[in-house]
């Protein structure tokens, strides 16, 4: 298992906490940046410092027999965690759609960096229900995830 896979698995299992800071050096290794959790699936964003910048990966898991199993690990993308973001916005920088579970349900996940004024991103599901996703208070990283049929329009809430 690669170290980013092991970090993501530990976050899904709840045995490793999220980081309060972006990785600053290569020796920091992979750190957990954000998580989106439901009873049946979990998506985590992990990051590490490389020789060319900060690399962020998105991993998704599904629950079976009270255990979390990897559904997919997307190839990462380089991120500039210090990019200036206009107030009340989210800079979405990566996402994936992947099959999860025995029924191969399609899960959509997006990760971004919220400006400091963003308090939540609200998803309106097609059935009218809403769900709130909150950014990390220290890094601004946010993961939004839902099964594709339930993924709806996003509204950003800010102060």
């Amino acid at each position: 298992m690669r170290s980013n896979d092991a970090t993501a698995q530990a976050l899904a299992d709840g045995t490793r906490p999220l980081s309060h800071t972006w990785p600053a050096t290569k020796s920091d290794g992979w750190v957990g940046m954000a998580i989106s959790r439901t009873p049946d699936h979990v998506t985590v964003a992990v990051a590490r410092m490389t020789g060319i910048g900060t690399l962020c990966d998105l991993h998704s898991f599904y629950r079976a027999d009270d255990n979390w199993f990897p559904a997919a690990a997307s190839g990462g993308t380089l991120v500039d965690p210090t990019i200036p973001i206009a107030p009340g916005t989210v800079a979405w920088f990566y996402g994936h759609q992947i099959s999860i579970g025995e029924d191969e349900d399609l899960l959509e996940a997006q990760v971004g960096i919220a400006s400091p004024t963003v308090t939540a991103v609200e998803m309106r599901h097609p059935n009218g229900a809403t769900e709130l996703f909150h950014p990390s208070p220290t890094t601004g990283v946010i993961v939004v995830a839902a099964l594709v049929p339930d993924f709806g329009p996003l509204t950003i809430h800010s102060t």
Side-chain angles (χ1 to χ4, degrees), residues 4-65:
N4 62 334
D5 296 336
T7 299
Q9 184 76 52
L11 288 161
D13 292 340
T15 59
R16 183 169 181 168
L18 291 173
S19 176
H20 296 288
T21 61
W22 285 90
T25 67
K26 286 185 187 182
S27 63
D28 290 341
W30 287 97
V31 297
M33 300 305 299
I35 191 165
S36 172
R37 183 182 296 277
T38 74
D40 298 320
H41 57 81
V42 134
T43 300
V44 296
V46 296
R48 75 176 171 97
M49 180 59 73
T50 70
I52 56 174
T54 304
L55 182 66
C56 191
D57 280 358
L58 198 56
H59 295 254
S60 293
F61 300 84
Y62 65 94
R63 182 186 295 278
D65 299 325

Side-chain angles (χ1 to χ4, degrees), residues 68-121:
W68 291 107
F69 293 95
S74 310
T77 187
L78 285 174
V79 178
D80 179 359
T82 62
I83 58 173
I85 300 172
T89 62
V90 176
W92 300 105
F93 61 82
Y94 198 62
H96 68 198
Q97 283 190 352
I98 47 112
S99 295
I100 62 169
E102 292 179 4
D103 296 333
E104 296 188 0
D105 295 322
L106 198 58
L107 177 77
E108 181 169 342
Q110 296 180 15
V111 62
I113 303 172
S115 73
T117 61
V118 172
T119 56
V121 172

